[in-house]
């Protein structure tokens, strides 16, 4: 049966309030949680960006939920540091933590002052980072000279069982490439046929492990309110790669999204006041074979969404999924 989780959006919500939200989500019936990992928000309107790894320790302690995080090692984060972070959380909370690894976005990575590489270089760099992280989690001493440099690193605190390293992808080509190394695949909501092709590309290339999906939703009791929430908070997030990868500053995103039509937002976010429509959308994703679906209500106020979906959406999905 598909697991339904709560997505913790650090770009939008103060970490103390976000901790309250994930605790509330567990009590409302959500079975898992997932965390973003950003240095800056996508828009000044979102207005937050807490440090995910500090928050994850608190959230794992405060709940019994399994957690995942989406991380981009290689520029802002040295892979040995990420291996240490993953290893510590997995040692403290066995069987409850996984990490998804991707190539990242300039909006987070430019802060180092290093050149933001081409996508092919970022992809090669990520693969080096994956190999370094795996070797460290396996207990090896690692030295590496390449797109990242590691000198005689060794993890002294490790979990008995290394956690899953999930591949993050939004295209068929990347999904196929992730099959070479990943313990599972994660992507975001998109048209059903595109998601099916991504899953097929991953599985046909030998991809193993669970399929994760992050779903952006906007719900409110009135349709106009649901649309206003999505437009105010998420219209900066409608741009396809490479735009979303390469813009650096929140004011860049805010400038290019000034005149985004509502139709572009509803291509990215499942917007409706009708809970039946949300059930229908989610049933389609379940039908594709996703093992875990993390729901991200794109508004900054989470309680009404958590209560309503916990009471009226998740039970219906569990009877059909």
């Amino acid at each position: 049966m598909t697991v339904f989780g709560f997505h913790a959006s650090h770009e939008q919500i103060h970490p103390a309030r976000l901790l309250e939200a994930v605790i509330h989500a567990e009590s409302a019936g959500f079975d898992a949680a997932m965390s973003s990992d950003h240095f800056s928000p996508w828009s000044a309107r979102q207005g937050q960006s807490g440090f995910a790894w500090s928050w994850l320790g608190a959230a794992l302690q405060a709940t019994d939920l399994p957690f995942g995080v989406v991380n981009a090692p290689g520029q802002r984060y040295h892979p040995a540091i990420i291996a240490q972070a993953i290893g510590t959380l997995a040692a403290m909370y066995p069987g409850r933590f996984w990490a998804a690894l991707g190539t990242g976005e300039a909006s987070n990575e430019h802060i180092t002052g290093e050149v933001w590489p081409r996508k092919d270089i970022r992809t090669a760099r990520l693969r080096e980072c994956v190999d370094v992280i795996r070797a460290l989690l396996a207990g090896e001493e690692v030295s590496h000279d390449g797109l990242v440099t590691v000198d005689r690193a060794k993890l002294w605190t490790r979990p008995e069982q290394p956690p899953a390293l999930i591949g993050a992808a939004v295209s068929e080509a990347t999904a196929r490439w992730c099959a070479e190394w990943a313990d599972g695949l994660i992507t975001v909501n998109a048209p059903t046929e595109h998601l099916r092709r991504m899953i097929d590309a991953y599985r046909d290339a030998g991809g193993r492990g669970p399929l994760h999906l992050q779903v952006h939703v906007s719900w409110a009791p009135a349709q106009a309110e649901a649309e206003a929430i999505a437009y105010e908070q998420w219209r900066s997030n409608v741009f396809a790669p490479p735009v979303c990868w390469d813009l650096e500053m929140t004011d860049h995103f805010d400038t290019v999204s000034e005149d985004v039509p509502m139709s572009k937002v509803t291509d990215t976010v499942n917007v409706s006041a009708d809970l039946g429509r949300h059930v229908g959308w989610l049933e389609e994703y379940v039908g594709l074979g996703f093992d875990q679906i993390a729901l991200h209500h794109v508004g900054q106020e989470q309680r009404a969404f958590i209560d309503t979906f916990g009471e009226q959406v998740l039970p219906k999905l569990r009877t059909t999924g």
Side-chain angles (χ1 to χ4, degrees):
M1 182 175 289
T2 302
V3 172
F4 291 94
F6 172 80
H7 176 72
S9 179
H10 286 281
E11 308 94 285
Q12 298 177 272
I13 303 169
H14 187 283
R17 289 177 50 217
L18 201 54
L19 183 61
E20 294 171 358
V22 77
I23 292 169
H24 187 58
E26 181 179 35
S27 68
F30 286 77
D31 298 317
M34 190 180 104
S35 171
S36 60
D37 181 4
H38 282 243
F39 192 84
S40 65
W42 303 92
S43 165
R45 295 182 303 277
Q46 295 173 346
Q48 297 288 337
S49 211
F51 185 54
W53 295 92
S54 301
W55 184 87
L56 281 163
L60 281 156
Q61 181 65 29
T63 71
D64 291 319
L65 298 174
F67 272 80
V69 66
V70 183
N71 175 263
Q75 186 158 330
R76 179 170 46 125
Y77 291 116
H78 191 279
I81 297 301
I82 289 303
Q84 186 182 32
I86 291 171
T88 298
L89 288 177
M92 292 178 69
Y93 305 101
R96 289 179 55 200
F97 184 69
W98 53 269
L101 303 177
T103 55
E105 298 104 4
S107 61
N108 301 307
E109 310 304 322
H110 77 89
I111 61 165
T112 65
E114 298 175 25
V115 172
W116 177 237
R118 299 189 312 269
K119 181 62 166 71
D120 60 323
I121 296 174
R122 301 199 305 271
T123 299
R125 181 174 68 180
L126 174 59
R127 184 54 193 271
E128 291 184 18
C129 289
V130 169
D131 291 344
V132 167
I133 292 168
R134 282 204 190 280
L136 288 168
L137 289 171
E140 299 175 24
E141 181 179 284
V142 176
S143 292
H144 178 81
D145 297 291
L147 294 169
V148 293
T149 301
V150 185
D151 179 40
R152 294 166 293 178
K154 179 181 174 67
L155 289 186
W156 293 93
T157 298
R158 295 182 295 112
E160 291 186 12
Q161 187 68 33
L165 300 181
I166 306 296
V170 293
S171 71
E172 292 174 60
T174 302
R176 190 175 299 110
W177 173 75
C178 286
E180 299 175 7
W181 60 266
D183 299 318
L185 184 73
I186 188 168
T187 189
V188 296
N189 60 289
T192 301
E193 282 307 310
H194 175 74
L195 292 174
R196 181 177 288 113
R197 290 194 300 270
M198 283 189 63
I199 292 169
D200 289 346
Y202 181 70
R203 294 299 192 204
D204 290 348
R208 63 187 185 274
L211 301 172
H212 293 256
L213 180 68
Q214 180 188 359
V215 179
H216 303 303
V217 307
S218 183
W219 172 84
Q223 181 66 22
E225 184 183 358
E227 293 177 359
I229 289 169
Y231 195 76
E232 197 270 342
Q233 280 292 296
W234 215 248
R235 70 177 182 270
S236 301
N237 297 63
V238 303
F239 302 103
V243 175
C244 60
W245 293 337
D246 292 343
L247 291 184
E248 293 182 343
M249 304 297 290
T250 54
D251 56 351
H252 297 169
F253 282 97
D254 284 337
T255 297
V256 299
S257 63
E258 282 180 356
D259 299 315
V260 166
M262 187 66 200
S263 60
K264 289 287 289 182
V265 178
T266 55
D267 286 343
T268 304
V269 183
N270 291 346
V271 181
S272 184
D274 182 350
L275 293 173
R277 287 203 70 191
H278 286 286
V279 170
W281 281 320
L282 292 167
E283 284 177 338
E284 288 187 13
Y285 304 139
V286 171
L288 290 172
F290 284 101
D291 300 287
Q292 185 170 136
I293 297 175
L295 302 181
H296 171 212
H297 174 53
V298 300
Q300 291 180 305
E301 297 301 324
Q302 297 289 311
R303 181 167 285 268
F305 157 75
I306 290 169
D307 286 337
T308 302
F309 273 59
E311 292 170 4
Q312 301 184 52
V313 173
L314 299 188
K316 292 180 181 177
L317 294 166
R318 287 173 180 136
T319 60
T320 62

